[in-house]
Amino acid sequence: MDASQGDALTSHNFGLQIDGVMVEYLAKVEGLSIEQDVIEYQQVSAQGRPVTKKMPGVKKAGTCTVVRGKTQSAAFNQWITESVNGNMAMARKNATIMYMDYMNTPVVRYNMRNAWCSKIDISGVTAGEASTLTETVTITFEELVVE
C-alpha cells in the first residue's frame, strides 16, 4: 500500500543516524526547526511613498528534543558521553533524523550539521511499575538541511 500523490506523510517511525550510521530508533521528536533573522529596512518608492522591505538574514543554530527507550546503543551512548564530558572534538557529529513510512523506508531526512547532546533527562521510575526506561535528549546543532 503506497502513499498516493497528495497524501500526507504519517509519523510511523523515526531513526537517528550519526555520521551516516543508524544508531537508534526514536519514540518522539520535538522542536526540530529552522530559523533565521529577518532584516527590515525602509526605502522610498518611485512614487515617493515609504516602503518597508524584509529580507532574510543570518541563519540561527537550533535544538531539538528526542525521546528514546534506554537501550544499549553503544554509538549513541558514546556520543552522549563525549558531549557531556565537553570533548567537543569528538562530540560534534553530523546527525540525521529520518522519518520513515510503515515499510521503514526513509521519506524525509533532517540533517543536522555539527550536532551534539546538550541535555539528557532520564525518565522517572517507580518500584513495581511495569514501564520502560526512557531518555529525553536535547540535541544542539549549527545548521539544519531538509532533504
Side-chain angles (χ1 to χ4, degrees):
M1 182 172 141
D2 292 328
S4 298
Q5 182 69 26
D7 286 349
L9 297 176
T10 59
S11 56
H12 181 72
N13 202 358
F14 329 104
L16 177 69
Q17 288 182 330
I18 298 175
D19 289 336
V21 177
M22 179 66 84
V23 296
E24 191 68 74
Y25 286 90
L26 304 170
K28 189 176 192 177
V29 177
E30 289 184 317
L32 191 58
S33 64
I34 302 170
E35 185 179 353
Q36 68 185 75
D37 289 330
V38 176
I39 299 169
E40 186 174 299
Y41 65 98
Q42 296 196 357
Q43 65 185 36
V44 177
S45 71
Q47 292 78 28
R49 294 188 199 121
V51 176
T52 301
K53 296 279 192 172
K54 293 186 179 189
M55 56 190 258
V58 177
K59 287 184 180 178
K60 295 183 179 183
T63 61
C64 73
T65 303
V66 299
V67 178
R68 71 176 189 140
K70 179 63 176 155
T71 65
Q72 298 302 313
S73 172
F76 195 50
N77 292 337
Q78 183 66 31
W79 189 39
I80 291 171
T81 300
E82 298 292 353
S83 295
V84 298
N85 287 340
N87 185 0
M88 298 315 289
M90 297 296 291
R92 282 192 177 96
K93 302 279 186 185
N94 291 326
T96 299
I97 294 177
M98 297 185 323
Y99 285 65
M100 293 171 273
D101 65 13
Y102 69 98
M103 299 285 291
N104 276 350
T105 303
V107 291
V108 66
R109 296 172 189 267
Y110 296 92
N111 301 311
M112 301 173 288
R113 188 178 59 81
N114 287 334
W116 52 280
C117 304
S118 61
K119 183 178 179 183
I120 293 88
D121 287 319
I122 311 300
S123 64
V125 293
T126 303
E129 184 178 280
S131 62
T132 59
L133 181 62
T134 61
E135 286 182 334
T136 301
V137 180
T138 301
I139 300 172
T140 299
F141 53 88
E142 293 176 6
E143 181 180 26
L144 183 65
V145 178
V146 181
E147 62 175 72

